């Protein structure tokens, strides 16, 4: 350990902090975008209109069968082309950050759509029926009745996917973005202290991701159906007049 | 005047026909009980009335509006026809009050206050006002079903459909639900009820429809004819089985 100089981390903190912020920004945008478009994809895939379900299934299967890093490269080169094709202007204005965001939203929406699809299917069929029977239209039935239950069922697995997403943000380093890992690499190359910086990056990832996974565990325990049943059958919580097993 | 008019309705799941030329009607204020062995398509038939189950042939008119018509505003039609399900289907993530209020505000555009007022009045009527802030999972099956009936009534429906409303209940809870339904029938609500509760049928039904395995209507007659002198041997067999239990 004598050769290590960890003071380099203190000196690099501003750069690393900037990198971490970029990572968190990318994470937040990809998470929100992924869940939003993932929900639409899941609804399209479950639709009885083949015009919707087939393309959605095709997109999800395509994205899920290519390596994430390849998708990032694709969109790095494709997004400027697309912008030029759509607007007629040169796509130079599209930087690596924008193309990375496009790639992340695309890929994450495919991943999240599979989770959300399973969540929607976990809601009993009678629930949308009851919603329709009251006169709700498709979007109301989904928005007020089906999706809230689907998301509730899916919270643990969605959080797990979010942790994976946070780790995956380090992949943008391949298109030259200074995310947390990218910033550490840059600082390491300049100072020749790359090992110390990588150790630091690893520790920060460990702390964030381990902390988050503990949180997931906690939520899982709280949402455990056996525990909910215990609450339900505890007369003290229910007041009189409850017959167990009536649900 | 026919509130619900079912004419030659046929339905297939793939190659399998589940409804065969079903024809019947429910006039205003009438209570019609639909019974028959499992697999006879009773639940399927009642779900075609508000368009939850599509059908391939025939016609269904509810208050003069064709359910099968692609141009029909199904959501609007459904908001005028209440439905009660075998498994209650209260929304588990909402409190009892929210269950009662939601469709009134979102579908009928009522104000939160008037919807709440209406909902709580009906909750009181089914005897559950003290449970208004509970969640469905905290109620017994019978209580949940009474809330479900109140929820359907909150839309001020022109007719009510009941799809085996007591089949998922423990025996001691059946009567609390049937009592609410009997009261409703006596108030003149138009009702179509799929049930095996022959006591209910005897008490308030005007007509009884008997469906046979394969999805056809075997008997469609007044209550007195049905229980007094069923015309078909098959109906007699079914009745003797179900009444002995």
């Amino acid at each position: 350990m004598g050769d290590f100089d960890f003071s380099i981390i203190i000196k690099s903190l501003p750069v690393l902090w900037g990198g971490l912020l970029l990572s968190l920004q990318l994470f937040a945008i990809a998470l929100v975008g992924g869940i939003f478009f993932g929900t639409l994809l899941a609804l399209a895939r479950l639709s009885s209109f083949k015009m919707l379900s087939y393309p959605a299934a095709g997109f999800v299967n395509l994205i899920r069968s290519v390596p994430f890093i390849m998708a990032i490269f694709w969109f790095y080169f494709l997004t400027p082309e697309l912008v030029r094709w759509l607007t007629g202007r040169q796509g130079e204005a599209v930087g690596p950050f924008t193309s990375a965001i496009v790639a992340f939203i695309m890929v994450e929406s495919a991943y999240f759509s599979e989770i959300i699809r399973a969540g929607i299917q976990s809601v009993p069929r009678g629930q949308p029926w009851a919603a329709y029977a009251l006169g709700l239209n498709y979007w109301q039935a989904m928005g007020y009745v089906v999706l809230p239950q689907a998301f509730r069922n899916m919270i643990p697995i969605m959080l797990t996917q979010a942790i994976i997403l946070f780790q995956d943000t380090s992949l943008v380093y391949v298109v030259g973005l200074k995310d947390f890992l990218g910033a550490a690499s840059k600082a390491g190359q300049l100072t020749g202290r790359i090992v110390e910086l990588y150790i630091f990056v690893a520790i920060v990832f460990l702390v964030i991701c381990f902390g988050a996974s503990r949180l997931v565990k906690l939520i899982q325990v709280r949402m455990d159906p056996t525990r909910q049943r215990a609450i339900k059958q505890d007369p003290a919580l229910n007041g009189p007049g409850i017959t167990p097993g009536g649900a | 005047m026919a509130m619900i008019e079912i004419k030659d309705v046929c339905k297939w799941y793939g190659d399998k026909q589940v409804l065969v030329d079903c024809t019947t009607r429910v006039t205003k204020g009438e209570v019609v009980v639909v019974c028959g062995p499992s697999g006879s398509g009773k639940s399927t038939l009642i779900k075609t009335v508000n368009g939850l189950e599509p059908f391939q042939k025939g016609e269904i008119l509810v208050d003069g509006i064709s359910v099968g018509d692609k141009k029909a505003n199904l959501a609007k039609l459904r908001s005028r026809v209440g439905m009660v399900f075998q498994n209650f289907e209260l929304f588990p993530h909402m409190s009892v009050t929210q269950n009662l209020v939601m469709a009134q505000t979102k579908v009928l555009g009522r104000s939160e206050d008037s919807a709440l007022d209406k909902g709580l009045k009906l909750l009181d009527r089914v005897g559950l006002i003290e449970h208004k802030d509970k969640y469905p999972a905290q109620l017994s099956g019978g209580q949940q079903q009474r809330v479900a009936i109140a929820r359907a009534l909150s839309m001020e429906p022109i007719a009510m459909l009941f799809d085996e409303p007591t089949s998922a209940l423990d025996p001691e809870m059946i009567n609390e639900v049937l009592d609410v339904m009997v009261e409703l029938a006596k108030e003149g609500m138009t009702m179509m009820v799929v049930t095996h509760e022959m006591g209910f049928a005897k008490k308030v039904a005007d007509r009884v429809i008997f469906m046979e395995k394969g999805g056809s209507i075997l008997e469609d007659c007044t209550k007195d004819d049905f229980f007094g002198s069923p015309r078909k041997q098959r109906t007699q067999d079914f009745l003797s089985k179900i009444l002995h239990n």
Side-chain angles (χ1 to χ4, degrees):
Chain A
M1 296 292 279
D3 292 342
F4 286 167
D5 176 9
F6 283 100
S7 68
I8 191 71
I9 290 161
I10 310 288
K11 281 181 218 146
S12 310
L13 268 184
V15 182
L16 292 172
W17 177 245
L20 186 61
L21 281 184
L22 187 135
S23 291
L24 287 171
Q25 204 182 348
L26 186 61
F27 166 75
I29 296 172
L31 186 68
V32 172
I35 290 175
F36 178 76
F37 289 107
T39 305
L40 293 184
L41 268 178
L43 291 175
R45 240 193 128 169
L46 290 170
S47 164
S48 50
F49 297 111
K50 291 195 170 66
M51 294 267 287
L52 283 172
S53 62
Y54 281 20
F59 174 79
V60 170
N61 287 326
L62 173 71
I63 293 283
R64 275 161 51 91
S65 47
V66 299
F68 200 154
I69 204 155
M70 208 177 127
I72 294 172
F73 274 129
W74 266 2
F75 287 105
Y76 182 61
F77 295 113
L78 267 180
T79 316
E81 291 292 325
L82 261 176
V83 168
R84 185 161 47 207
W85 182 66
L86 284 173
T87 64
R89 284 191 326 213
Q90 285 295 328
E92 284 145 16
V94 182
F97 186 68
T98 310
S99 74
I101 280 180
V102 172
F104 267 78
I105 289 180
M106 292 282 191
V107 172
E108 290 303 322
S109 65
Y111 289 164
F112 274 114
S113 83
E114 286 295 275
I115 295 173
I116 294 162
R117 184 166 69 116
I120 292 172
Q121 285 174 325
S122 75
V123 177
R125 201 169 156 212
Q127 287 288 308
W129 268 348
Y132 293 138
L134 285 165
L136 273 71
N137 62 34
Y138 175 81
W139 292 106
Q140 289 172 324
M142 286 296 149
Y144 297 122
V145 175
V146 177
L147 288 177
Q149 294 182 61
F151 278 112
R152 192 167 296 204
N153 295 345
M154 289 293 113
I155 283 173
I157 188 163
M158 296 233 306
L159 287 173
T160 306
Q161 178 63 31
I163 292 170
I164 297 170
L165 164 62
F166 182 64
Q167 293 167 350
D168 283 349
T169 55
S170 61
L171 291 173
V172 295
Y173 149 74
V174 299
V175 291
L177 272 179
K178 273 202 220 102
D179 70 313
F180 191 42
L181 182 65
S185 299
K186 233 350 175 291
Q189 280 158 13
L190 288 173
T191 58
R193 290 287 173 190
I194 204 157
V195 178
E196 288 88 334
L197 283 157
Y198 277 176
I199 290 173
F200 179 68
V201 169
I203 290 171
V204 172
F205 265 105
L206 181 81
V207 168
I208 293 176
C209 293
F210 185 72
S213 72
R214 296 303 301 173
L215 187 74
V216 174
K217 272 269 156 53
L218 210 77
I219 291 171
Q220 255 169 338
V221 171
R222 278 196 52 183
M223 290 179 57
D224 183 1
T226 55
R227 193 170 169 273
Q228 283 182 352
R229 219 167 289 137
I231 293 172
K232 201 168 101 191
Q233 293 188 349
D234 183 350
L237 289 162
N238 271 336
I242 303 298
T243 313
Chain B
M1 173 201 153
M3 194 66 98
I4 300 168
E5 180 97 56
I6 300 174
K7 286 187 242 169
D8 300 317
V9 166
C10 298
K11 179 180 171 68
W12 288 264
Y13 285 124
D15 291 340
K16 192 169 178 280
Q17 189 162 11
V18 290
L19 292 177
V20 183
D21 297 322
C22 293
T23 300
T24 190
R25 61 191 348 229
V26 182
T27 57
K28 194 168 165 18
E30 200 176 24
V31 177
V32 174
V33 163
V34 183
C35 62
S38 64
S40 59
K42 320 177 287 286
S43 287
T44 309
L45 180 68
I46 202 170
K47 285 199 187 83
T48 59
V49 173
N50 64 352
L52 287 182
E53 290 276 11
F55 52 93
Q56 284 81 33
K57 229 185 103 216
E59 190 180 30
I60 296 179
L61 299 173
V62 176
D63 199 25
I65 297 161
S66 173
V67 179
D69 188 347
K70 286 210 160 50
K71 280 174 284 181
N73 186 344
L74 265 188
K76 184 159 185 216
L77 188 143
R78 286 167 177 154
S79 73
R80 302 174 64 213
V81 179
M83 184 157 203
V84 174
F85 296 85
Q86 184 175 352
N87 293 312
F88 331 133
E89 306 300 352
L90 293 179
F91 305 131
H93 57 299
M94 299 181 190
S95 72
V96 166
T97 304
Q98 288 168 323
N99 263 285
L100 290 163
V101 166
M102 190 265 280
Q104 289 189 65
T105 55
K106 307 297 180 200
V107 177
L108 301 180
R110 286 184 185 150
S111 72
E112 199 79 23
D113 284 347
S114 67
L116 189 64
D117 196 48
K118 177 102 198 154
L120 292 182
K121 243 177 225 155
L122 286 161
L123 193 61
D124 192 31
R125 214 182 114 183
V126 298
L128 293 169
I129 192 73
E130 70 270 30
H131 298 291
K132 66 181 168 63
D133 296 321
K134 285 191 178 165
Y135 280 81
Q138 295 171 298
L139 302 178
S140 72
Q143 291 170 329
Q144 287 189 55
Q145 193 63 299
R146 279 144 69 198
V147 174
I149 293 172
R151 179 176 70 178
L153 290 175
S154 73
M155 305 295 283
E156 292 176 24
I158 54 170
M160 288 280 285
L161 308 172
F162 292 84
D163 184 11
E164 305 208 32
T166 57
S167 300
L169 294 175
D170 291 339
E172 75 269 24
M173 297 175 192
I174 289 177
N175 278 331
E176 62 186 77
V177 172
L178 288 180
D179 287 347
V180 172
M181 291 167 60
V182 167
E183 198 185 316
L184 207 55
K186 285 183 175 158
E187 281 168 19
M189 175 62 80
T190 307
M191 291 164 71
M192 187 168 173
V193 185
V194 173
T195 187
H196 288 139
E197 295 296 328
M198 289 302 123
F200 172 79
K202 279 182 180 164
K203 206 181 271 177
V204 292
D206 296 301
R207 274 184 23 250
V208 180
I209 293 171
F210 179 72
M211 289 184 75
E212 172 59 311
K213 252 193 173 58
S216 53
I217 292 176
L218 196 65
E219 199 127 24
D220 182 351
C221 54
T222 66
K223 168 180 66 180
D224 294 335
D225 281 351
F226 186 80
F227 290 111
S229 54
R231 286 162 292 184
K232 303 259 173 35
Q233 183 61 38
R234 182 69 192 88
T235 317
Q236 286 174 20
D237 293 348
F238 177 78
L239 271 180
S240 69
K241 255 185 228 157
I242 195 162
L243 291 179
H244 281 175
N245 282 345

